């Protein structure tokens, strides 16, 4: 099958900020993303574990978005505008996709 | 009962003992854990129940007294952060923004502490006015703005968004909503849901406090030794300052002992759900682990175990 | 009570008020949310309780009446999609497959609407026959086959697999299973579990309807302005058509008012759990957001707040 | 009641019927499922409730009798794995390490089986001594060490860490903690939480056993045909051997029938939570699916449906 | 350590279809996969969020499978047979594994 | 933006062992990791599914850690010391990160 190169942006970010991050990605017109809850982890801010907690503070979420390489710099800049003051990390890797049209940027989010 | 009898009765009540069990289990690193979804579900139940009961009792409350108590609560919530901030800056070397964030926690309230105190009051036969639930709701937010002012922040994005986020914060909406529903349906409504919101309430509270003990214990273990002792003791004297001011205001507006003890408890308690989340949005430079350890690991257990009986004893001694 | 008294009594009952609270909280974008696991757990509890109670009351029901009511339910479930489909195609420009998918939702039922109606009937002193639970179970699936027929689909994989998946669908299995257990253990069984499945039932229903309000409100907010108004009003008149047919059949087979009102409620309600999942498997081209908004965001609140009192009033007026 | 009446009464009690419903639902591949978080939450509730009640009843128990029963329990837990191991090695071709792992499961206990048996005893009017809860707690761990010894293992890391992990295992800590709290607060404490920990207990047990049925049924379906029948029957005769030894020891130390039946049930039951997790850490070469299928898919249903009435009948016949 | 090149197939797919997808992968003899629940996301079909929902419709699951490069085309074809009518996305990336034998295809699933 | 090459270590491991794995990573001074719960999967040990289970046995967790390429061999060795006797898999892929300093190894975990 014919595949196209895309970038997979993976962001680990503290839960209270996830809505803000989503707004930024929506505004930039990213074609899509998926959010997964993490249950435990470690980083410079220490170890954490979710079991039995009642507040969202201190929990991390993992968001990944598959985007076009041409949009990468723009997205990274936008993501860092949010992330620079918050707890979280970002990484980027290469992926191949089949249905290229699915990952076209939209001028504005559809919501 | 004098203060020691009260303290003893409180200490051997099942809710407090389950809290201590959770605390100990966490300290010995047991893997006992209540799933997050269940803990959240229970906290929603507790807030609904306390709000509903408060509302259903409003029929018996004069509205002027309620309004006075709400104003007193707002004053406490807005004023306490300034005291907390001053004390922290005078005694520790915490950066301005961290001290401001902590101060906001102490102005605001812990609804679980409030619930435990209501329950303890009921067990002692010292019922409080239904409107104290509204006071609790009113005290959640003002402290956040005091905290931002202390940090020297005039948020760009913050302004509008923040006020929205705080006013429509889940537990506030639920507390006020359940209060309004209880008020609207009155005794007839209460009779319909008494077995769920009334009869099993204290048992569910035991389960929840077990979890709170686990959470507090894990927090303590994680940050033991990391916290400067000058910051740490803040978590012990600040509730007493809050309670003293609460008692003063309660006397001023003429609350009876049961309600006064609850106002003291609210002033003494520190937020660990609403304010930490707000601070992550508004003051992300503040280290969340310091304030959370303080409010959840130090002040919450202190209030639950020692504070509540002290506040009831003091209220009864001064106003009874 | 006339219809206005009924509507008023229904509107100020705690379950409905908590639903409205959830709806409003979602519309003002509060972050109030009940964890998914808890909501699922509660819905399992409610289905178990309603099934068990229905079964335990079967001793008092003549079997012939039960069989007649079940047949009436199956006829309604199979027939209503044709009406819904015809109306949608006549009034809107929805593609065939979307109209068929929506139509399947309206033939099938919402078990929570049924539970709320049973509870409301009980509060009004209009108890229904225990076998109405079996009628609810019987009405879930036929509509799906009507919907597939309307879409012109003769599923390859669908055939066998689909029937399996529908027949062994979790909530059906639980409803029928709990019904059978209630029937087998009768009053002795009911006495053993009354505090859990009986006493706290209405309080738990409040908690669940709060969540349903949140879910419905979020759905509405998401799709407000997206839906064609001709599709939207379908969610308001279709329940009334269903209820009218339900009333006719109830009169034909001689149901007493309490049971008739439940049959009307079942006919009027639209599925938002079983059918949407079945449609995702059988008709993936149909846009799930349209049918879900309609059944959960429009028809569910309409039935809960206005429909149920109307159906009870009509049943009492016509058959009482 | 003779054994057949007992069996019949047990078989048509709601908890057992809900278990069978879950079992059947899983076997017909229904998608009925209770969310993991809810199932864990309920199991925490059950352990808390049974522990608390046991403790609250300790006032009525002579301490010497309690100590004797605990010693008997420890002996059973440590000894049973040797019998189980011998039987498995003699009759099947299981590798040493797998046989040892299974044997450890049979020495240890299933707290849910214990809870179901307590509830059944209560329904029959055969109450047991409060200290049987402590016996249950004491029997969880010794079997693990016997299992390790049988596997010829002298764990390096295992030693210290393992004992910690077992001793501070969540359900043990909770069971003993709740027991201690019940003991400390006595009847006054029990009265405070009776509606939650007492009244609704049996209904919640129904919900939990529904889930256990689903879990057991899924396990059976997954491994049907994979298990050697010589291993499989071990899950049926081993509980009877355990119960027989339990009865002997109960007679020796002079337990009354209600408590004796519980000791038999503990001996007969096999662990499916604590021991499997311990074995994954200490004997990772052992195939977890064999032992889990055996304890959860064979022995648990057997005890629940047939074992418990047999043990009560035997205890009453021998000691009544 | 000596490593071998594999492909990491990552599929985001609507929950009601996950069993069908699993059946296809099982039939193809894929050596393994892991499924993770997503809690929120956005795509062409709009934004979604799980908190407090009670139906599985509209929820996404993330399935990833580490497979041999030689099997990629075959797997992609099979996955697309399911996916083409459903909501979801697929991407492929390179990964290295150590225990190569663990990822050998089996002729038929063991269940 | 200027990016740096890192390795993304992804480990699927049975839940009862996750604490042991964390201890090993902490001891090695890995700068961070994130843990996500899986709900279903398949591997050589068969198919599994979490719905309604009550024991942690048989559940898998996914841990990923973004680490420096220079640390890879060392980490893999440590991970395998735990993993070799347990159920689980490991894979490694290339990722790019922006804030390089965030992923520096610490001499000892901060907990
Ligand atoms: N190197 C890493 N690999 C994977 N996850 C990480 C890494 N560093 C940090 N994280 C995650 O991001 C969260 C915040 O990181 P930090 O700001 O370093 O505390 C941690 O708690 C982890 O969940
Ligand atoms: N570019 C993307 N990156 C990550 N996840 C995506 C992307 N596009 C879609 N998704 C996920 O797949 C789901 C369905 O996509 P769609 O069919 O575009 O609505 C979305 O709700 C997201 O969870
Ligand atoms: N090739 C694979 N791709 C993704 N996940 C896998 C793969 N192989 C195994 N797993 C996961 O690791 C678990 C244990 O693998 P195994 O030891 O092969 O049974 C499985 O249940 C899956 O969740
Ligand atoms: Na305060
Ligand atoms: Na209908
Ligand atoms: Na045993």
């Amino acid at each position: 099958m014919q595949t196209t190169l895309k970038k997979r942006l993976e962001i680990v970010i503290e839960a209270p900020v996830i809505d803000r991050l989503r707004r930024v990605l929506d505004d930039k017109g990213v074609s899509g993303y998926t959010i997964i809850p993490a249950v435990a982890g470690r980083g410079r801010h220490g170890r954490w574990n979710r079991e039995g907690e009642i507040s969202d503070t201190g929990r991390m979420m993992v968001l990944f978005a598959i985007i076009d390489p041409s949009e990468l710099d723009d997205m990274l800049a936008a993501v860092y505008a949010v992330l620079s003051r918050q707890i979280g990390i970002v990484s980027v890797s290469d992926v191949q996709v089949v249905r290229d049209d699915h990952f076209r940027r939209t001028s504005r989010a559809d919501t | 009962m004098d203060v020691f009898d009260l303290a003893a009765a409180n200490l051997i009540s099942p809710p407090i003992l389950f809290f201590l069990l959770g605390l100990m289990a966490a300290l010995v690193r047991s893997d006992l854990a209540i799933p997050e979804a269940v803990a959240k579900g229970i906290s929603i139940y507790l807030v609904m129940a306390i709000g509903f009961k408060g509302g259903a009792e409003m029929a018996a409350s004069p509205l002027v007294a309620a309004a006075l108590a709400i104003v007193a609560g707002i004053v406490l919530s807005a004023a306490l952060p300034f005291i907390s901030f001053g004390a922290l800056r005078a005694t520790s070397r915490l950066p301005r923004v961290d001290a401001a964030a902590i101060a906001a926690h102490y102005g605001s309230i812990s609804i679980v502490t409030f619930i435990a105190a209501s329950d303890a009051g009921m067990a002692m036969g010292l019922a409080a006015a239904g409107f104290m639930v509204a006071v609790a709701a009113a005290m959640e937010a003002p402290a956040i703005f005091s905290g931002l002012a202390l940090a020297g922040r005039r948020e760009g994005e913050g302004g509008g968004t923040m006020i929205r986020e705080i006013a429509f914060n889940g537990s506030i909406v639920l507390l006020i909503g359940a209060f309004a529903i209880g008020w609207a349906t009155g005794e007839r409504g209460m009779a319909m849901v008494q077995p769920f919101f009334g009869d099993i309430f204290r048992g569910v509270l035991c389960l929840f406090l077990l979890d709170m003990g686990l959470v507090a214990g894990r927090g303590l273990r994680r940050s033991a030794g990391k916290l400067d002792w000058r910051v740490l003791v803040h978590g012990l004297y600040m509730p007493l300052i809050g309670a003293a001011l609460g008692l003063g205001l309660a006397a001023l507006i003429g609350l009876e002992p049961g309600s006064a003890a609850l106002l003291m408890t609210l002033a003494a308690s520190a937020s660990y759900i609403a304010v930490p989340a707000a601070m992550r949005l508004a003051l992300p430079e503040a280290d969340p682990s310091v304030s959370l350890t303080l409010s959840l690991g130090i002040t919450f257990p202190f209030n639950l175990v020692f504070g509540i009986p002290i506040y009831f004893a003091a209220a009864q001694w001064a106003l009874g």
Side-chain angles (χ1 to χ4, degrees), chain A, chain B:
Chain A
M1 283 194 192
Q2 203 213 312
T3 58
T4 321
L5 178 73
K6 298 279 166 188
K7 293 289 181 180
R8 184 179 189 276
L9 198 65
E10 186 173 62
I11 305 168
V12 180
I13 194 169
E14 48 182 338
V17 193
I18 192 86
D19 282 336
R20 205 174 272 183
L21 179 64
R22 291 180 77 174
R23 249 176 278 141
V24 166
L25 293 176
D26 289 346
D27 284 348
K28 284 280 159 192
V30 62
S31 74
Y33 50 79
T34 298
I35 299 175
I36 295 170
V39 289
R42 222 198 81 216
R44 288 183 312 180
H45 292 82
R47 251 162 162 270
W48 58 277
N49 203 317
R50 283 311 297 170
E51 276 302 331
E53 301 290 325
I54 48 166
S55 126
D56 245 4
T57 312
R59 122 158 290 175
M60 296 283 148
M61 305 294 256
V62 180
L63 179 151
F64 69 88
I66 295 177
I67 61 175
D68 204 78
S70 64
E71 303 165 24
L72 184 61
D73 277 1
D74 194 19
M75 289 291 166
L76 277 181
V79 166
Y80 268 103
V82 174
L83 207 77
S84 56
R85 297 171 76 213
Q86 310 289 160
I87 298 177
I89 62 163
V90 182
S91 67
V92 180
S93 61
D94 289 345
V95 294
Q96 303 284 335
V97 301
V98 181
R99 293 198 280 189
D100 182 26
D101 59 308
H102 204 124
F103 301 89
R104 289 268 170 68
R105 190 174 190 171
T106 52
S107 50
R108 186 61 177 74
D110 58 353
T111 306
Chain B
M1 291 208 225
D2 66 17
V3 61
F4 295 107
D5 290 344
L6 274 174
N10 184 55
L11 261 175
I12 63 156
S13 75
I16 302 304
L17 288 175
F18 276 109
F19 175 76
L20 294 176
L21 174 60
L23 205 63
M24 254 157 23
L27 292 178
V28 301
R29 288 165 194 269
S30 161
D31 65 352
L32 181 58
I34 292 173
E36 184 176 354
V38 172
K40 276 195 179 159
I42 296 178
S43 77
I44 285 171
Y45 161 83
L46 292 173
V47 168
M48 250 173 116
I50 200 88
F52 192 89
K53 276 186 275 187
E57 285 159 12
M58 273 304 285
S61 298
L63 284 184
V64 179
L68 277 177
I70 288 173
V71 171
I74 291 175
V75 168
L76 280 169
S77 174
L80 283 169
F82 289 87
I83 302 178
S84 170
F85 181 81
L88 282 169
R89 295 285 279 176
T91 61
S92 79
R93 266 185 249 150
L94 275 182
R96 181 182 194 87
V97 65
D98 283 294
I102 295 175
H105 288 70
Y106 279 90
S108 187
I109 60 133
S110 145
I111 193 74
V112 181
T113 312
F114 175 76
I115 289 172
S118 305
D119 189 63
M122 224 133 69
M124 297 172 201
L126 271 183
F131 59 67
M132 287 310 296
V133 168
V135 176
M139 287 179 72
E140 197 140 0
I144 296 177
F145 296 98
S146 299
L148 293 187
L150 286 164
R153 204 55 51 89
R154 194 153 306 269
E155 274 303 272
E157 184 181 13
T161 321
M162 271 270 301
I163 297 182
R164 272 206 121 274
E165 271 165 356
I166 293 165
F168 296 142
N169 161 288
S171 71
I172 296 272
V173 166
L174 186 56
L175 191 64
I176 297 181
F179 182 83
I181 294 175
W183 200 353
T185 62
E187 266 185 35
R188 213 187 110 261
M190 192 67 217
M192 291 172 80
V193 296
Q194 172 66 29
F196 187 60
F197 287 128
D199 297 347
I200 65 171
F201 184 80
R202 187 171 292 135
V204 179
L205 183 60
C206 288
L207 184 47
F208 192 69
L209 287 180
L210 173 69
D211 184 52
M212 290 299 301
L214 289 166
V215 171
R218 270 186 243 124
L220 275 183
R221 225 183 56 209
R222 211 154 36 209
S223 48
K226 272 203 210 160
L227 276 192
D228 181 353
W229 70 267
R230 276 158 304 201
V231 175
L232 217 133
V233 292
H234 190 75
L236 299 172
Y237 65 74
M238 195 59 215
L240 296 173
I241 296 178
L245 286 181
L247 181 58
L249 278 180
L252 204 70
I253 61 172
L255 288 180
E256 85 289 17
S259 303
L262 289 194
L263 186 64
M264 293 170 74
T265 303
L266 287 171
S269 74
S271 171
Y272 46 81
I273 298 186
V275 177
M279 291 297 116
R280 290 315 300 147
L281 292 168
L283 296 179
E285 303 86 353
D287 181 348
S289 71
V290 178
S291 43
L292 210 58
T293 305
L294 219 52
S295 66
L296 193 54
I298 310 281
T299 300
F300 179 75
F302 171 77
N303 275 328
L304 206 61
V305 178
F306 304 107
I308 291 176
I310 296 177
Y311 310 150
F312 273 97
Q316 223 177 350
W317 169 82
L319 313 169

